[in-house]
Amino acid sequence: FDDLNEFSGKASTELEQLTSETVESTLEGSHNDDFVVKAFLSFQRGIDFSSMLNDNGRRRLQTSGLEAGIEIYVQTRSGVTYETESMREVIARAFDTTEERREFFNELQKRDSSFRRINMMEVTIDDKRIMNP
């Protein structure tokens, strides 16, 4: 596989759109309110894994990757006040299982072929890694 250096054009738009749709669906499934979610690609930077080792102490085959930061803005008209931490927890549930991340990947790959080069995804919210439950 060629290294993925950045998302641009249609790829960045699709990433933002699918992230918005996924988070909005999760929020609306958890709360009885309508939400409007907008996601924006805020930064991209290459990552060098060449000095990193896998769990067995062996070098990883992949030597580089791409970190993409996405800012998520949530709006609702509701009599309910949602706490920031509660919203973070619900948003994290959109990506907290291997199956959910796989479905997200599959949909991205259907929308834009440049995502076919991705074979792994890690999600963090405010520097906290989202793990499988």
Side-chain angles (χ1 to χ4, degrees):
F1 291 104
D2 294 331
D3 290 340
L4 182 60
N5 297 323
E6 70 176 30
F7 299 121
S8 61
K10 183 179 180 225
S12 62
T13 302
E14 293 297 347
L15 177 61
E16 291 168 341
Q17 183 64 34
L18 183 58
T19 301
S20 297
E21 292 168 9
T22 302
V23 169
E24 187 171 308
S25 175
T26 301
L27 288 169
E28 289 178 351
S30 294
H31 302 290
N32 193 21
D33 269 322
D34 285 326
F35 292 87
V36 175
V37 177
K38 296 292 182 189
F40 300 97
L41 190 58
S42 60
F43 72 85
Q44 301 179 66
R45 64 177 153 244
I47 302 171
D48 181 13
F49 293 114
S50 59
S51 63
M52 298 178 75
L53 303 176
N54 67 17
D55 295 337
N56 298 327
R58 297 181 182 157
R59 279 199 190 273
R60 296 180 183 205
L61 294 176
Q62 180 181 358
T63 59
S64 66
L66 179 66
E67 179 181 10
I70 300 174
E71 292 184 22
I72 298 173
Y73 296 90
V74 178
Q75 183 180 33
T76 187
R77 290 187 179 177
S78 173
V80 177
T81 301
Y82 294 100
E83 297 294 324
T84 302
E85 187 58 32
S86 171
M87 295 296 279
R88 284 184 188 125
E89 290 172 6
V90 173
I91 291 168
R93 284 198 299 256
F95 303 100
D96 68 351
T97 68
T98 302
E99 184 60 32
E100 287 165 334
R101 289 190 296 270
R102 186 177 305 121
E103 287 175 15
F104 187 84
F105 263 155
N106 290 342
E107 183 60 29
L108 276 176
Q109 291 170 348
K110 286 179 195 173
R111 293 180 181 203
D112 191 281
S113 62
S114 63
F115 291 106
R116 291 190 183 127
R117 294 180 277 173
I118 300 173
N119 59 13
M120 185 189 117
M121 178 172 105
E122 180 179 295
V123 177
T124 60
I125 297 177
D126 294 333
D127 297 322
K128 182 181 177 188
R129 185 175 177 199
I130 306 306
M131 305 292 285
N132 290 350

